[in-house]
Each structure stands twice: as C-alpha cells, then as structure tokens.
Amino acid sequence: MLEWLKRRGAPPGDRRLREWRRAWAQAVAAPDSERIRRLREHLDALGHAPDDIEIEREMLDALHDAAELATAIRHTGLPLVATGHRVVGIETCHYTAPASMPDEPGQPGGRLLLTSGRAIFVGGANRIAPWHSIGDASHLERDIVLIRADREQVYRFRCNSYSDALRGAFIARELVAARRRPRPGL
C-alpha cells in the first residue's frame, strides 16, 4: 500500500507540470473561459494518466467556478447565503464552507463564514476578524489566507477543495476592497 501511495501523482520533478501550475496560478488572477480551455488542452497534452493529474483537474474545475463567480458578482453583486447561524447576527452572509485552521494547535475544524462585516471561524478555535482590520486576502492551494493590515496576524483557513478556497478568497478580496472604497456622500 505504501508503495502505491508513493507512486500516485505525476512525478514531482515533471517540469511541464510545474509550468502548467504556474500558468494556472497566473490564470487565477483573471480567470476566463479561453484561458481555462487552453489550460485544459495543455494538461491533456501532457499525456499523464488521469489518476496522476486528478489534483490538476480539481484545480481546473475550481478555476471554472471562480470565473463563474466573478461574472455573477459583476452582474448581481456578492452572493447572498441564507444561514441561521447566530454568530452572523444581522450581517449579510456571502460565503460559508467547512474549513480548518492548520496553524492552530490541534488544527480545529469548523465552518468559515464571510459576512458583510467580518470573517468568522466557528469551530474548536473561534476567530473573528473584522474586514476593516484585514489588509490582504488571497489563496494558497486549498487555503484562504487573510493578513491583518498591521501584518501582526495571519489567519489561514484550509478548505476541503480548491473551489472553496478560490471562491472564498475572491469574496474576501471583494469585501476587503469594499471597505476601502469611499462611501457616497461622505
């Protein structure tokens, strides 16, 4: 069994796959259907067995989801997620997904909620970060990373999928940017 696990996945030294991952990371900044199509064709042309590139396939699906989310936000605004969770209170919830906090002792699992006012992690280690204190939001693999504006704290939330991570990071960036935009009439 151990030998089978060691053989799974594309060879770690595969330069072509590393280049594909770099192109994918660049596409995350501005996902569109044409880039996704080219990435899919490039991945297929590498000739790896389907089991060896299942993570890359998940990454492509996540990129597609992120592109659809970006289009939807441009047309209708941030998604509205109905939640009865009492920690949300009167705020509007825009995202919720199961997550863990890998940097915390015991790596607690729970639920990440992104509301109009805060990022909230409800689980073994409850964390609340108001958007006005967050300076940057990004993703790293399957993680959503929020960095406080004073650079004193980093919040890292591990999602179950690349799609959850890309969608959550995109929404978090939108919420951080909304706090920076001047309000009309002020």
Side-chain angles (χ1 to χ4, degrees):
M1 180 73 164
L2 185 57
E3 289 303 314
W4 178 80
L5 285 171
K6 286 181 184 177
R7 288 191 314 265
R8 287 199 61 181
D14 188 332
R15 178 186 51 78
R16 297 173 310 152
L17 198 54
R18 282 195 311 273
E19 289 172 3
W20 183 91
R21 283 178 169 251
R22 272 193 291 278
W24 177 86
Q26 292 169 350
V28 168
D32 66 64
S33 58
E34 180 57 27
R35 280 181 117 169
I36 295 167
R37 185 190 62 73
R38 285 194 314 264
L39 280 168
R40 189 173 309 280
E41 286 176 355
H42 184 199
L43 185 61
D44 290 342
L46 295 177
H48 290 290
D51 287 350
D52 293 345
I53 54 171
E54 66 184 291
I55 290 173
E56 288 76 14
R57 295 267 182 228
E58 178 189 343
M59 293 166 72
L60 274 173
D61 291 344
L63 194 57
H64 181 264
D65 291 347
E68 285 184 342
L69 176 66
T71 300
I73 288 173
R74 276 194 304 273
H75 290 96
T76 61
L78 289 170
L80 303 176
V81 178
T83 178
H85 210 296
R86 68 177 184 259
V87 73
V88 172
I90 62 170
E91 295 176 13
T92 303
C93 186
H94 299 290
Y95 172 89
T96 180
S100 65
M101 294 187 74
D103 299 327
E104 296 292 319
Q107 300 183 359
R111 182 153 288 278
L112 177 62
L113 300 116
L114 304 180
T115 72
S116 55
R118 313 170 281 169
I120 305 166
F121 180 79
V122 180
N126 293 343
R127 296 285 185 266
I128 297 176
W131 293 119
H132 67 82
S133 72
I134 302 298
D136 192 20
S138 64
H139 87 281
L140 178 63
E141 301 281 329
R142 289 186 178 111
D143 295 346
I144 297 170
V145 180
L146 304 178
I147 303 170
R148 282 179 40 135
D150 62 10
R151 303 284 191 219
E152 293 293 319
Q153 177 80 37
V154 173
Y155 304 97
R156 187 163 63 118
F157 306 100
R158 173 133 319 136
C159 298
N160 291 341
S161 69
Y162 277 88
S163 185
D164 284 350
L166 288 183
R167 291 173 60 83
F170 188 88
I171 290 169
R173 281 191 300 276
E174 290 290 312
L175 291 163
V176 168
R179 290 290 179 176
R180 293 185 183 140
R181 285 192 283 271
R183 295 182 186 162
L186 293 182

